[in-house]
Amino acid sequence: MSNISIVTTFFLSGLPHPPVLDSMLFGIFLVIYILTVLGNLLILTVIRVDSHLHTPMYYFLTNLSFIDMWFSTVTVPKMLMTLVSPGGGAISFHSCVAQLYCFHFLGSTECFLYTVMSYDRYLAISYPLRYSSMMGGRVCALLAAGTWLTGSLHSAVQTTLIFHLPYCGPNEIQHYFCDGPPILKLACADTSAIEMVIFVNIGVVASGCFFLISLSYVSIVCSILRIRTSEGRHRAFQTCASHCIVVLCFFVPCVFIYLRPGSRDAVDGVVTVFYTVLTPLLNPVVYTLRNKEVKKALFKLKDKVAFSQR
């Protein structure tokens, strides 16, 4: 891909902000990043050590936590470098390719995973007696592998289309990481056809996943309304509430960035922060604070650690 491009290094402009805020923003995003990594590692550890959490729901949650940990790692460290180092925004052509691929790979995999998680909740609430047989270990593994494989293929298409174009200058990307829309602005060729293909590609994936998630939840609500006891209905709604929150926090910013005509660099940068920095932190917070089983497992793990230190 690089043999048709003169540019060998890109420069990331970083997040739009007054220079006087460099140190403060660095501190804030560093703390958020550390909490994100530790929070998702904690979720992975708790689910692994507590046998009561070895169920399909938490199997998919481990995949989500793993994705969120790396999704944040792909973008935040480079953003931190642009805040503290004059040359921190420099990124080689091939590193830019790798960053864009990993970003879309993890992002699209997460999109597919949310869809699988909504299907899992649909089966658990609509077919409680047959759930364990319908969502066995083999089925869970196949569904999870399918999300990773499909995400990989989707990202490969995006990356190939974008970096197949020639880049001969300018080389400053108006963003804090390598993403499709700001990179395409630097291409030395007509990008209208490729922009349309990418728009349709992302649109089909995002709208398709959101439609399937919505369909699952319409069916879930219908099933919940048929539950006779108010306690049963409340428990069922609680089970799905956490998933609904993180789905909305993921999809709304993505639709704003990728599926609207035109682009405002400053606004896009601020909105992107939400789903690249804050959403990966929000997931472990939502799934721990709103989930009694996870909180119970956390206290058990804390007691085990305390006992082992005596």
Side-chain angles (χ1 to χ4, degrees), residues 83-124:
L83 290 170
V84 295
S85 172
I91 183 169
S92 71
F93 185 93
H94 291 97
S95 295
C96 192
V97 174
Q99 188 181 48
L100 184 138
Y101 174 80
C102 291
F103 177 77
H104 281 279
F105 168 43
L106 294 168
S108 54
T109 301
E110 184 160 346
C111 180
F112 295 127
L113 185 61
Y114 283 135
T115 308
V116 169
M117 291 173 77
S118 68
Y119 175 66
D120 171 66
R121 292 300 82 208
Y122 161 69
L123 292 181

Side-chain angles (χ1 to χ4, degrees), residues 66-89:
F66 185 80
I67 290 172
D68 280 335
M69 190 169 58
W70 287 105
F71 192 58
S72 184
T73 300
V74 165
T75 57
V76 177
K78 192 60 183 176
M79 179 178 67
L80 294 175
M81 291 177 66
T82 65
L83 290 170
V84 295
S85 172

Side-chain angles (χ1 to χ4, degrees), residues 220-237:
I220 286 170
V221 170
C222 292
S223 298
I224 290 175
L225 292 177
R226 288 197 294 267
I227 298 176
R228 295 181 180 179
T229 64
S230 58
E231 182 184 349
R233 287 195 296 270
H234 177 72
R235 194 184 309 122
F237 274 119

Side-chain angles (χ1 to χ4, degrees), residues 143-162:
L143 287 172
T147 64
W148 286 94
L149 178 60
T150 312
S152 169
L153 293 173
H154 177 260
S155 181
V157 171
Q158 300 284 103
T159 307
T160 302
L161 286 172
I162 291 170

Side-chain angles (χ1 to χ4, degrees), residues 28-286:
I28 291 172
F29 288 128
L30 178 62
V31 169
I32 291 174
Y33 175 64
I34 292 172
L35 290 175
T36 298
V37 173
L38 292 178
N40 283 292
L41 278 175
L42 184 61
I43 292 288
L44 290 170
T45 303
V46 167
I47 293 175
R48 181 172 180 82
V49 301
D50 194 314
S51 59
H52 295 96
L53 300 182
H54 292 177
T55 64
M57 174 181 171
Y58 295 106
Y59 174 77
F60 294 127
L61 182 56
T62 58
N63 280 265
L64 181 62
S65 292
F66 185 80
I67 290 172
D68 280 335
M69 190 169 58
W70 287 105
F71 192 58
S72 184
T73 300
V74 165
T75 57
V76 177
K78 192 60 183 176
M79 179 178 67
L80 294 175
M81 291 177 66
T82 65
L83 290 170
V84 295
S85 172
I91 183 169
S92 71
F93 185 93
H94 291 97
S95 295
C96 192
V97 174
Q99 188 181 48
L100 184 138
Y101 174 80
C102 291
F103 177 77
H104 281 279
F105 168 43
L106 294 168
S108 54
T109 301
E110 184 160 346
C111 180
F112 295 127
L113 185 61
Y114 283 135
T115 308
V116 169
M117 291 173 77
S118 68
Y119 175 66
D120 171 66
R121 292 300 82 208
Y122 161 69
L123 292 181
I125 292 172
S126 300
Y127 303 97
L129 299 179
R130 296 164 53 196
Y131 173 66
S132 57
S133 61
M134 296 173 74
M135 192 62 76
R138 180 180 173 82
V139 174
C140 289
L142 287 173
L143 287 172
T147 64
W148 286 94
L149 178 60
T150 312
S152 169
L153 293 173
H154 177 260
S155 181
V157 171
Q158 300 284 103
T159 307
T160 302
L161 286 172
I162 291 170
F163 287 102
H164 182 71
L165 295 166
Y167 292 89
C168 48
N171 62 345
E172 184 176 359
I173 299 172
Q174 297 297 318
H175 211 347
Y176 60 86
F177 70 97
C178 292
D179 197 13
I183 292 175
L184 285 172
K185 293 179 182 178
L186 307 181
C188 305
D190 180 23
T191 62
S192 55
I194 288 179
E195 285 179 9
M196 181 56 66
V197 172
I198 291 174
F199 178 85
V200 171
N201 189 17
I202 293 178
V204 167
V205 169
S207 59
C209 288
F210 194 76
F211 172 75
L212 291 173
I213 291 170
S214 302
L215 191 63
S216 294
Y217 274 97
V218 168
S219 302
I220 286 170
V221 170
C222 292
S223 298
I224 290 175
L225 292 177
R226 288 197 294 267
I227 298 176
R228 295 181 180 179
T229 64
S230 58
E231 182 184 349
R233 287 195 296 270
H234 177 72
R235 194 184 309 122
F237 274 119
Q238 281 289 98
T239 302
C240 302
S242 300
H243 185 252
C244 287
I245 291 171
V246 295
V247 163
L248 289 175
C249 290
F250 180 82
F251 275 95
V252 172
C254 287
V255 168
F256 181 85
I257 295 294
Y258 297 106
L259 300 181
R260 84 188 203 280
S263 175
R264 300 181 193 87
D265 295 328
V267 177
D268 285 0
V270 172
V271 174
T272 306
V273 166
F274 190 85
Y275 75 91
T276 58
V277 180
L278 298 180
T279 300
L281 173 64
L282 186 65
N283 286 350
V285 171
V286 167

